[in-house]
Amino acid sequence: LYGEGTTTRLKACGMEFTVWILTHATNAELAAFAPSLMAGMIEILDSRLDGSVEGERGATFAQESLRGFCYQALSQLVERDRSSANKDVLLAERIFSALDTESDGVKPYVQEAARVLIKAYRESPSTYVQTRMEELILSAVVDKDNRTKRLVGAQWANEMFPFSHIPSRYAAIVVSGDSKHEMQVLGRAGLRPSTTRETIASATLSIEPWEGCDRDVEP
């Protein structure tokens, strides 16, 4: 993945093997290497360097394969260890940004990572994380230029918070007026209580002030 002289195709193979490891590792093994794996995957996603000597089409395919496997690995890691993602909002911000910047060949993997992240962030004890999630969701559902981002925002609005959460219901109202039937269905679903979604917030939040906070926060 990181050695001198490696190519994008070799990196993709290495990341495919990482997905297998994350699927089959024991909990003890996962706890030992999860932090370094997370940092390594973020490093790869931050790098756009190809390093391949293949033709343009082959290099593009290899790059998309690498990034796709990287998002798959992130999904597996978060699925197994939700606390690795939900202590801050960096991964969620990265995923929503990737819905704007990644190629069409990679976006399905980003969407799958977003689906898994909902479960992790739903369990976050931080009020700052919860507030930032509201901002990401509302920003996504009003993005008229990116249908995939609106779709993910609508899914998060429906599944992230309990039915009593007002900003999520506002997002559902916005989505229900979308021109696409799929979005309308999601919006209407978000305006009806669901047996699979809590109607009251039952989680205990660890409330803490943060830089730039404009609310009164009591411990």
Side-chain angles (χ1 to χ4, degrees):
L1 288 173
Y2 309 104
E4 263 185 63
T6 187
T7 66
T8 303
R9 186 174 295 279
L10 285 175
K11 290 179 182 179
C13 292
M15 192 52 65
E16 184 178 12
F17 182 55
T18 301
V19 173
W20 186 91
I21 290 173
L22 287 169
T23 302
H24 297 282
T26 65
N27 290 336
E29 291 168 340
L30 189 67
F33 60 68
S36 58
L37 264 183
M38 176 68 79
M41 288 184 284
I42 296 300
E43 180 181 337
I44 289 176
L45 290 175
D46 281 343
S47 173
R48 289 281 180 176
L49 297 177
D50 189 341
S52 175
V53 295
E54 302 174 73
E56 183 178 349
R57 179 174 298 180
T60 299
F61 176 78
Q63 184 74 12
E64 288 188 347
S65 297
L66 170 60
R67 300 183 74 79
F69 283 130
C70 201
Y71 284 112
Q72 274 190 303
L74 278 175
S75 298
Q76 286 290 341
L77 178 56
V78 173
E79 185 82 60
R80 299 277 314 270
D81 181 17
R82 295 177 183 177
S83 64
S84 64
N86 66 15
K87 293 183 176 66
D88 57 48
V89 295
L90 297 180
L91 195 53
E93 291 173 339
R94 177 181 295 275
I95 290 297
F96 275 90
S97 176
L99 292 169
D100 281 323
T101 59
E102 292 290 2
S103 65
D104 290 341
V106 178
K107 281 182 180 178
Y109 299 102
V110 181
Q111 284 184 265
E112 175 61 19
R115 184 191 65 79
V116 173
L117 276 177
I118 294 176
K119 301 174 185 177
Y121 280 108
R122 199 161 47 198
E123 298 176 1
S124 175
S126 168
T127 50
Y128 169 68
V129 168
Q130 301 277 326
T131 301
R132 183 64 181 128
M133 290 302 103
E134 294 176 10
E135 296 170 353
L136 288 172
I137 289 169
L138 293 174
S139 174
V141 298
V142 299
D143 189 337
K144 296 181 180 179
D145 298 325
N146 190 326
R147 188 178 82 75
T148 303
K149 195 173 183 179
R150 290 203 311 278
L151 178 66
V152 171
Q155 292 169 338
W156 278 52
N158 286 0
E159 299 180 34
M160 175 75 188
F161 297 102
F163 186 74
S164 56
H165 185 255
I166 302 303
S168 294
R169 304 292 68 76
Y170 170 74
I173 292 173
V174 172
V175 172
S176 64
D178 196 277
S179 60
K180 300 292 184 181
H181 177 69
E182 181 182 17
M183 299 294 291
Q184 294 174 11
V185 171
L186 273 174
R188 291 166 187 161
L191 295 174
R192 293 191 297 268
S194 168
T195 56
T196 60
R197 180 174 54 210
E198 297 176 350
T199 56
I200 59 172
S202 59
T204 302
L205 295 179
S206 173
I207 303 177
E208 72 280 357
W210 61 90
E211 185 178 352
C213 175
D214 59 357
R215 304 182 183 185
D216 292 331
V217 176
E218 296 181 1

